[in-house]
Amino acid sequence: MKLINGYDLMNYAKKKGYILPAFNTTNMEMTYAIAKGLDDAKLPGYIQISSNNLRLSNPKVIADLARDAASRYDTPIGLHLDHGKSYADVQACVEAGFTSIMVDASHLPFEENVAEVAKAVQFCHFYGIPVEAELGALQGKEEDIVNEADAKTDPGMVEEFVRATGCDLLAVSVGNVHGLDLEPHVDLDLLKTIADISPVPLVLHGGSGIPFDVIQKARKCGLLKINYGSDLRKAFIRTFGEAYEANHNAHDVISLSMKAVENVSAKAKELVEVINA
């Protein structure tokens, strides 16, 4: 199946009552593993990559890999830019064939955040591609970027932000964190308050540390998409780490890479199934 347009994927999930997982990739093995895991579960979701991780490749390379991976299966899979840090990245990803975009200007003051998101929205909507934006800030480590601020989303700003930007999804900060070094404390009451106000569905980043029972409760609070990075990266890295510890002369890259695909796809399958149980 070809990569699915973000609007179509969102509408499909709403119709079926699914939460869409968005699994972060970095390379070829992770990309193929995510697609395999989603198909093994027969549940929809996203392959996604952040602006930060595009340093290792480029949008066209990732889009080509994702298209090939998705073409092997019948499960609906989208390709999402996670934490798009510049308008140039947004443009490059749309032109490469990404089917969903996040522009992250949450580090800027409210008015500047609105302006950056609105600019990206105007461009992406011309091509029929939905845009996710973020209001608030998460503590923790996202790849190699550390944020010590904890600025929870202000419900009083939500409706104005969504209306002014035209965004299609809203990532919120409600006690969720990036990475596994901090323990998340998701404020479900705050999430419900935001959901009741927000004109668009909500997104939680930092899914790897959030207990599954909390995710099931969040599912009833307007949650449509949840991001996972650390769990899959651990499965990938552990494959090579265990091989090295067992034999410091280990050098069979192809066998270990194929094993890593199996391990990562198993973790993706587990996650998408449990959040949609």
Side-chain angles (χ1 to χ4, degrees), residues 173-190:
S173 174
V174 291
N176 43 319
V177 297
H178 277 140
L180 298 174
D181 293 332
L182 297 175
E183 183 179 353
H185 297 283
V186 175
D187 186 337
L188 289 168
D189 290 335
L190 176 57

Side-chain angles (χ1 to χ4, degrees), residues 31-199:
T31 302
Y32 284 107
I34 292 166
K36 183 178 185 302
L38 290 169
D39 188 70
D40 286 346
K42 303 303 178 189
L43 289 167
Y46 300 89
I47 298 167
Q48 69 175 14
I49 189 167
S50 68
S51 283
N52 188 45
N53 266 331
L54 284 171
R55 295 177 300 169
L56 187 62
S57 55
N58 62 59
K60 186 178 184 305
V61 167
I62 293 299
D64 285 345
L65 289 171
R67 273 190 290 267
D68 184 62
S71 72
R72 303 177 181 207
Y73 308 111
D74 294 327
T75 300
I77 298 172
L79 177 60
H80 181 74
L81 172 63
D82 183 33
H83 290 287
K85 288 297 186 180
S86 71
Y87 184 65
D89 282 350
V90 170
Q91 287 180 304
C93 287
V94 169
E95 290 165 3
F98 280 55
T99 64
S100 180
I101 294 291
M102 179 195 181
V103 57
D104 181 6
S106 60
H107 58 289
L108 298 174
F110 183 83
E111 292 78 9
E112 293 178 41
N113 188 357
V114 167
E116 288 297 313
V117 174
K119 181 180 178 182
V121 165
Q122 183 177 24
F123 177 78
C124 292
H125 282 187
F126 179 82
Y127 290 95
I129 295 172
V131 175
E132 174 187 334
E134 186 168 4
L135 186 61
L138 273 64
Q139 280 187 306
K141 185 175 183 181
E142 171 72 3
E143 294 147 8
D144 59 354
I145 300 172
V146 178
N147 179 32
E148 297 181 353
D150 181 16
K152 289 185 178 180
T153 303
D154 181 350
M157 294 181 172
V158 168
E159 187 170 9
E160 179 186 355
F161 181 82
V162 173
R163 299 295 185 196
T165 61
C167 68
D168 305 285
L169 287 161
L170 183 66
V172 295
S173 174
V174 291
N176 43 319
V177 297
H178 277 140
L180 298 174
D181 293 332
L182 297 175
E183 183 179 353
H185 297 283
V186 175
D187 186 337
L188 289 168
D189 290 335
L190 176 57
L191 184 65
K192 180 65 167 59
T193 298
I194 295 170
D196 288 343
I197 295 168
S198 177

Side-chain angles (χ1 to χ4, degrees), residues 244-265:
Y244 178 77
E245 288 302 317
N247 176 11
H248 285 192
N249 289 321
H251 61 276
D252 188 351
V253 175
I254 183 61
S255 294
L256 288 174
S257 294
M258 292 173 70
K259 185 176 181 182
V261 168
E262 291 298 323
N263 290 341
V264 173
S265 65

